[in-house]
Amino acid sequence: MGLFGPKKYIYLSVCFESGGKTYCYLTKDKYIKVNEVVMVPVPNESDKNHM
């Protein structure tokens, strides 16, 4: 519990246009709606081989 009460976190469950797995992202934007298009950071191609 923080100084001003419990801390709240907002997570997005994101799936890309190409389909496949979904990924979770932490956000501070409390105005994002369900099925809204968002921009999220993704690893570059060389990083995908290490996941």
Side-chain angles (χ1 to χ4, degrees):
M1 188 179 242
L3 183 60
F4 300 106
K7 217 170 189 184
K8 294 183 180 181
Y9 296 93
I10 303 169
Y11 285 91
L12 305 175
S13 179
V14 176
C15 63
F16 294 92
E17 288 180 347
S18 59
K21 296 194 302 187
T22 59
Y23 299 88
C24 292
Y25 288 87
L26 181 63
T27 183
K28 293 180 181 178
D29 187 345
K30 60 184 176 184
Y31 300 106
I32 295 174
K33 306 254 186 294
V34 173
N35 292 324
E36 190 166 28
V37 175
V38 296
M39 292 180 65
V40 295
V42 295
N44 61 36
E45 289 295 318
S46 63
D47 290 340
K48 289 181 184 178
N49 296 328
H50 297 97
M51 297 177 95

